[in-house]
């Protein structure tokens, strides 16, 4: 067997023997961790790990921390060792972060796992690097400090299992990252195994290759190495040992239903589902397998393939059904929305619930809606707008006709009253001669002129609008100007029936309303005259009171003169 070694294997052997250091190795899954007992600073340790294709080991999870703890326990190392956690110069410690501002030099996701033995000191000016001590945790220190060991991590695509040996022998593994070790439960891709058999004169070699056609990695040659005759402990095989021709090594075999394991000596039940022979799922059975398909598919006639099931044939949808691979989709026509379990039903959409669906009336119908107009309006042929219908053009009234949005109203001539719906006139009672009557024509010689129809209809409803309850008279109320009226309204062809010509549309109120204006105006005029007369009388009385002379005394008819001495008939003669 040794003589048949290919040339690439010899070259690989020479390369592995040219170097390699003794270090503790632990391989699991797709990575290997190494412990190097060599004193160095952090940057020197990182350089040595990179030289072999790795980096200082990160500890991103509790599982990774457990692997490193196992490696240190196996090596019986309780001292500190550098790991790949560092704080570069110029970056400050962040106490609120799990890594305290440090980062893994291997890159990738930093993670939130931390295992600090003591909090790192606050600094922003000097670099800090972390070390690991088994059973204690992380500790930060100066990166120039020399520690006695460091931990490296190397990642690979896959691993080979134990190298099978038929007889006794020793194996030395030379890993791709330059470490030689005799203890290796799993070997990374590219590892060279040197086997020294107990009774052999020369060594045998195997290399971990892959990935194989069926996936995975395996030793080449597969072994078992250190062969013995089948007569000696069954050649190291679990079930069958087959002697090779000539001096070739015996090989192991298994009974039907079993296959050789990776060690090439033991047997395991054959997994008929590996590789999967089915298009869908595979379930192993004693001596065979059974295929299955995912929901929406049915097993084909060959028992291995799967074909799509057209669920739409069973009519699961209320309206439209669209088959898709492995299932189906229900669709609703316009005007409907999906409803019910899994959207298999369709409910009508009430478009009229949307604001401004129609200008006036909206009628919802299954799957759509229709716009309509209120009575007195007509829908346009194009669009949904509604225009007012001028009913007065059909001449529906015996007299004048007034059109308004959505309807019309008849203006009844004297001697008739308007019907309840306002669309006709009926003969009424005789109108007395003491109240003037108006049929919507503006008076020519009246002191009261209605300005507009701004008086609310509620106000005019307090006075009877029927001409039967108002006496008809051509005379006026005493004290008010006489208001003439006409008994008929001239109608000119081609003129609107709602008015009497240019300038009269504003004052063409109906007769009762105009009559109300006259009555109220007359009463106001009478009250004003009465108030003026009362005020005048009051003023006259007050002025008369102020001009009345004061009462005279009886002595006022006499006048007073000075008193004179009485004359007794004596002649006065002056003294001589």
């Amino acid at each position: 067997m040794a003589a048949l070694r290919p040339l690439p294997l010899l070259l690989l052997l020479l390369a592995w023997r040219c170097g390699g250091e003794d270090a503790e190795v632990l391989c699991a899954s797709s990575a290997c961790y190494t412990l190097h007992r060599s004193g160095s600073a952090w940057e020197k340790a990182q350089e040595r790990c990179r030289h072999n294709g790795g980096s200082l080991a990160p500890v991103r999870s509790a599982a990774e921390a457990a692997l490193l703890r196992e490696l240190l326990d196996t090596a019986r190392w309780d001292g500190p060792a550098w790991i790949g956690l560092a704080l570069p110069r110029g970056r400050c410690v962040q106490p609120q972060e799990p890594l305290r501002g440090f980062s893994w030099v291997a890159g990738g996701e930093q993670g939130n796992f931390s295992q600090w033995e003591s909090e790192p000191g606050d600094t922003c000016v000097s670099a800090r690097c972390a070390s690991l001590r088994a059973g204690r945790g992380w500790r930060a220190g100066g990166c120039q400090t020399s520690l006695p060991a460091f931990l490296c991590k190397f990642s690979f695509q896959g691993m080979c299992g134990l190298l099978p040996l038929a007889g006794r022998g020793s194996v030395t593994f030379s890993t791709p990252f330059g470490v030689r070790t005799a203890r290796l439960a799993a070997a990374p891709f590219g590892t060279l195994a040197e086997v020294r058999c107990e009774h052999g004169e020369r060594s045998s070699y195997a290399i971990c290759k892959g990935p194989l056609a069926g996936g995975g990695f395996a030793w080449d040659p597969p072994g078992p190495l250190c062969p013995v005759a089948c007569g000696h402990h069954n050649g190291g095989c679990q079930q069958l040992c087959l002697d090779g021709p000539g001096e070739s090594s015996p090989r192991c075999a298994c009974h039907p239903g079993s296959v050789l394991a990776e060690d090439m000596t033991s047997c395991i039940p054959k997994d008929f589902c590996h590789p999967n022979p089915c298009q869908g799922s595979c379930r192993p059975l004693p001596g065979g397998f059974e295929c299955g398909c995912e929901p929406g598919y049915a097993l084909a006639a060959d028992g291995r393939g799967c074909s799509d099931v057209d669920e739409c044939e069973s009519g699961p949808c209320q309206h439209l059904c669209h088959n898709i691979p492995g299932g189906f989709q229900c669709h609703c026509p316009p005007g409907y929305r999906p409803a019910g379990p899994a959207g298999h039903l369709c409910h009508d959409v009430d478009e009229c619930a949307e604001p401004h669906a129609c200008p006036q009336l909206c009628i919802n119908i299954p799957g759509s809606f229709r716009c309509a107009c209120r009575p007195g309006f007509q829908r346009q042929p194009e669009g949904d707008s509604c225009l007012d219908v001028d009913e007065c053009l059909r001449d529906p009234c015996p007299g004048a006709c007034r059109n308004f949005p959505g309807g019309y109203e008849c203006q009844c001539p004297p001697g008739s009253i308007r019907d309840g719906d306002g669309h006709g006139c009926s003969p009424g009672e005789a109108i007395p001669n003491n109240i003037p009557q108006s049929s919507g024509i503006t008076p020519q010689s009246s002191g009261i002129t209605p300005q507009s129809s701004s008086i609310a209809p509620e106000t005019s409803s307090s006075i009877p609008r029927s001409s039967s309850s108002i006496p008809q008279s051509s005379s006026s109320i005493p004290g008010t100007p006489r208001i003439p009226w006409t008994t008929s309204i001239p109608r000119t062809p081609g003129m609107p029936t709602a008015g009497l010509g240019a300038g009269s549309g504003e004052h063409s109120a109906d007769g009762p309303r105009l009559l109300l204006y006259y009555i109220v105006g007359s009463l106001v005029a009478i009250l004003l005259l009465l108030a003026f007369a009362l005020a005048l009388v009051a003023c006259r009385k007050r002025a008369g009171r102020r001009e009345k002379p004061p009462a005279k005394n009886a002595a006022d008819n006499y006048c007073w003169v000075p008193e004179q001495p009485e004359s007794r008939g004596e002649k006065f003669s002056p003294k001589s």
Side-chain angles (χ1 to χ4, degrees), residues 102-167:
F102 287 64
S103 59
W104 299 112
V105 294
E109 184 178 356
Q110 298 299 312
N112 295 323
F113 179 78
S114 63
Q115 202 175 28
W116 293 101
E117 178 184 355
S118 60
E119 291 293 329
D122 292 339
T123 181
C124 296
V125 296
S126 59
R128 288 289 184 269
C129 299
S131 61
L132 171 65
R133 186 184 292 266
R136 298 186 182 180
W138 309 340
R139 177 177 292 182
C143 297
Q144 301 301 324
T145 304
S146 180
L147 295 184
F150 60 91
L151 293 164
C152 295
K153 179 182 179 180
F154 305 91
S155 300
F156 297 91
Q157 295 179 355
M159 301 281 178
C160 290
L162 289 173
L163 180 63
L165 299 179

Side-chain angles (χ1 to χ4, degrees), residues 21 36 38 43-52 150:
E21 64 174 301
H36 303 264
S38 176
E43 291 184 357
K44 184 65 176 178
Q46 171 67 359
E47 182 181 351
R48 291 182 60 182
C49 292
R50 285 182 176 176
H51 178 73
N52 292 320
F150 60 91

Side-chain angles (χ1 to χ4, degrees), residues 73-380:
D73 292 343
T74 302
R76 297 181 180 179
W77 181 262
D78 59 356
W82 289 119
I83 58 176
L85 188 63
L87 178 73
R89 180 180 300 174
R91 186 174 179 181
C92 299
V93 174
Q94 305 293 332
Q96 72 278 4
E97 296 181 1
L99 296 180
R100 308 299 189 264
F102 287 64
S103 59
W104 299 112
V105 294
E109 184 178 356
Q110 298 299 312
N112 295 323
F113 179 78
S114 63
Q115 202 175 28
W116 293 101
E117 178 184 355
S118 60
E119 291 293 329
D122 292 339
T123 181
C124 296
V125 296
S126 59
R128 288 289 184 269
C129 299
S131 61
L132 171 65
R133 186 184 292 266
R136 298 186 182 180
W138 309 340
R139 177 177 292 182
C143 297
Q144 301 301 324
T145 304
S146 180
L147 295 184
F150 60 91
L151 293 164
C152 295
K153 179 182 179 180
F154 305 91
S155 300
F156 297 91
Q157 295 179 355
M159 301 281 178
C160 290
L162 289 173
L163 180 63
L165 299 179
R168 294 183 178 180
S170 61
V171 182
T172 301
F173 298 96
S174 297
T175 63
F177 42 85
V179 174
R180 293 173 58 86
T181 180
R183 296 189 299 269
L184 204 61
F189 166 68
T191 298
L192 179 67
E194 181 181 0
V195 182
R196 290 184 175 273
C197 299
E198 184 177 9
H199 301 289
E201 297 180 357
R202 291 180 294 181
S203 299
S204 300
Y205 298 94
I207 186 171
C208 180
K209 287 186 176 182
L212 305 178
F217 297 80
W219 292 102
D220 183 29
L225 302 181
C226 298
V228 295
C230 289
H232 180 72
H233 296 294
N234 195 33
C237 300
Q238 180 183 1
Q239 293 185 2
L240 302 177
C241 180
L242 304 177
D243 288 321
E247 296 182 356
S248 61
S249 301
R251 61 184 181 86
C252 298
C254 300
H255 297 297
S258 299
V259 293
L260 285 173
E262 292 183 356
D263 60 5
M264 302 304 292
T265 58
S266 58
C267 295
I268 58 175
K270 182 179 180 180
D271 186 4
F272 293 95
C273 292
H274 185 75
N276 186 7
C278 306
Q279 183 180 355
S281 60
C282 179
R283 184 169 67 93
L285 298 175
F289 62 91
E290 182 181 40
C291 294
C293 297
E294 297 179 359
Y297 294 88
L299 192 64
D302 59 0
R304 297 191 177 192
C306 295
S307 58
D308 178 54
V309 176
D310 188 0
E311 296 86 353
C312 293
E313 293 181 354
S314 60
C317 303
Q318 181 180 1
H319 285 273
L320 304 177
C321 179
H322 175 63
N323 184 65
I324 59 176
F328 66 97
Q329 292 178 344
C330 292
H331 298 278
C332 296
Y336 293 86
R337 57 178 177 82
H344 293 177
L345 303 178
C346 295
H347 284 180
D348 175 55
V349 175
D350 186 4
E351 295 86 355
C352 294
E354 298 293 331
H356 311 297
C358 293
Q360 288 191 358
L361 302 179
C362 181
I363 303 173
N364 185 63
I365 58 178
S368 184
F369 69 101
R370 182 168 57 87
C371 291
C373 298
R374 291 192 294 266
F377 291 88
Q378 184 178 10
R379 187 177 177 183
Q380 289 293 92

Side-chain angles (χ1 to χ4, degrees), residues 290-519:
E290 182 181 40
C291 294
C293 297
E294 297 179 359
Y297 294 88
L299 192 64
D302 59 0
R304 297 191 177 192
C306 295
S307 58
D308 178 54
V309 176
D310 188 0
E311 296 86 353
C312 293
E313 293 181 354
S314 60
C317 303
Q318 181 180 1
H319 285 273
L320 304 177
C321 179
H322 175 63
N323 184 65
I324 59 176
F328 66 97
Q329 292 178 344
C330 292
H331 298 278
C332 296
Y336 293 86
R337 57 178 177 82
H344 293 177
L345 303 178
C346 295
H347 284 180
D348 175 55
V349 175
D350 186 4
E351 295 86 355
C352 294
E354 298 293 331
H356 311 297
C358 293
Q360 288 191 358
L361 302 179
C362 181
I363 303 173
N364 185 63
I365 58 178
S368 184
F369 69 101
R370 182 168 57 87
C371 291
C373 298
R374 291 192 294 266
F377 291 88
Q378 184 178 10
R379 187 177 177 183
Q380 289 293 92
E382 297 181 0
D384 297 329
S385 60
C386 296
L387 294 181
D388 176 52
V389 176
D390 190 356
E391 295 86 354
C392 292
L393 297 178
R394 302 195 304 264
D395 198 13
C397 301
C401 175
R402 185 175 67 88
N403 181 68
F404 57 84
Y408 70 97
E409 185 180 58
C410 291
Q411 305 291 338
C412 299
S416 61
I417 59 175
R418 185 184 298 109
D419 294 342
D421 58 0
H423 294 170
C425 298
S426 302
E429 298 179 358
I431 301 177
N433 296 327
N434 57 349
I435 297 179
Q437 172 69 18
S438 173
S439 59
I441 302 176
T442 305
Q444 302 297 326
S445 59
S446 172
I448 302 175
T449 304
Q451 299 298 321
S452 65
S453 57
S454 60
I455 299 179
E458 290 78 2
T459 306
S460 61
S461 62
S462 61
I463 298 178
R465 300 182 62 180
S466 174
S467 59
S468 60
S469 61
I470 302 175
Q472 181 176 0
S473 175
S474 61
S475 62
S476 60
I477 300 175
T480 61
R482 183 177 181 181
I483 303 174
W485 59 281
T486 59
T487 58
S488 62
I489 301 175
R491 306 181 62 182
T492 304
M495 295 181 62
T497 57
L500 295 178
S504 63
E506 189 178 86
H507 305 285
S508 60
D510 54 0
R513 185 180 302 176
L514 189 57
L515 180 61
L516 174 64
Y517 298 158
Y518 296 160
I519 295 174

